[in-house]
Amino acid sequence: AVTDLASLQNVGDIDRKTYLGGSDAAAMLGLDPYGRTPLTVYLAKIGELGGTPDPDREKFLRRRKRFEDPIVAMLREEFGGEIVATNARYIDPEHGFLAAEIDFEWADADGVIQSGEIKTVSPFAFNEGSGWGEAGTDQIPVHYHAQVMHGLGVTGRQV
């Protein structure tokens, strides 16, 4: 398992068409709630998927990304955690076609670097029917499990 940042290569901004990332994981497993499939992911990567980006979805994703910094600040304040990196992107050391962006990385009590994933959810979507458990539990939708497990696999981390 990777236990420090020096063991992984932060590759920064690489072209998303050159790798399968965490947001592709659910589609590759047939679990994507938005209807993406392994074929549509492939076609998008090679530039053969027709259509234009949905402006509402793009706006939603930009807004969600903007909330990450304040959430990390709250984690530092409320839990006293040592956040050691944010939004680092890594390529799997064995499989160069897999990469993951980790929202934040923190040092546990033993100094081992662990991965953190941030999701902001509309109060209207935060319900059991959407795969969310009760507030305060670790129950998340299965497509987010796929994303998180993908990130753990790329980094070799346990948490």
Side-chain angles (χ1 to χ4, degrees):
V2 176
T3 58
D4 60 51
L5 294 176
S7 300
L8 288 170
Q9 178 187 7
N10 181 357
V11 294
D13 261 346
I14 57 175
D15 185 354
R16 291 191 50 81
K17 291 182 178 182
T18 63
Y19 66 88
L20 293 173
S23 62
D24 302 319
M28 300 307 292
L29 296 169
L31 301 171
D32 189 86
Y34 308 107
R36 293 184 327 137
T37 67
L39 177 60
T40 60
V41 170
Y42 169 74
L43 293 173
K45 298 286 182 189
I46 65 169
E48 291 190 15
L49 187 63
T52 57
D54 177 3
D56 289 336
R57 179 161 169 72
E58 297 295 316
K59 181 179 177 181
F60 166 77
L61 294 173
R62 281 193 311 275
R63 283 181 172 176
R64 189 168 75 179
K65 187 78 168 166
R66 268 189 258 156
F67 280 111
E68 288 181 5
D69 287 338
I71 290 170
V72 168
M74 286 188 307
L75 290 171
R76 282 187 173 119
E77 179 183 311
E78 292 179 21
F79 296 101
E82 181 187 356
I83 309 295
V84 297
T86 58
N87 298 315
R89 190 170 290 154
Y90 302 103
I91 293 179
D92 186 284
E94 289 183 58
H95 308 287
F97 61 90
L98 299 175
E101 181 175 309
I102 307 301
D103 290 344
F104 70 97
E105 295 160 88
W106 53 282
D108 68 14
D110 296 322
V112 177
I113 304 300
Q114 306 292 358
S115 298
E117 179 66 27
I118 296 171
K119 293 292 180 222
T120 55
V121 182
S122 161
F124 301 108
F126 187 74
N127 58 56
E128 290 182 29
S130 297
W132 295 98
E134 291 185 33
T137 70
D138 62 357
Q139 296 171 0
I140 62 174
V142 68
H143 61 285
Y144 290 143
H145 273 285
Q147 179 181 0
V148 169
M149 295 309 292
H150 176 85
L152 291 175
V154 167
T155 62
R157 295 180 179 149
Q158 300 298 305
V159 176

